[in-house]
Amino acid sequence: MHKPAPSQEPTKSTPRDAERDDSTRSQLPPSRRGKKALTGYFEPEVMKQLKVMAAAEETTIQALLTEALNDLFKKYGKPHIA
């Protein structure tokens, strides 16, 4: 006899899943709460240059990327939000 295939429907989240998400969020440092990671793939030289620039300017890569994003937003007439 042929068995029916298991359902292909996505799994539904449960209250326990929501609790797990909340506990994971609460483990984030306050500086990261409510924020999203932004990722891109670049040549290794890009990272090396960013590290050198951050050291030379006595700042962080995060601060340099914030500055770059705000400059991009300005170029396109968007508000500085980064």
Side-chain angles (χ1 to χ4, degrees), residues 48-61 64:
K48 185 176 182 179
Q49 187 163 300
L50 278 171
K51 287 180 180 182
V52 169
M53 289 173 64
E57 298 298 319
E58 296 182 350
T59 190
T60 63
I61 292 174
L64 291 175

Side-chain angles (χ1 to χ4, degrees), residues 1-5:
M1 190 164 197
H2 184 299
K3 284 178 136 180

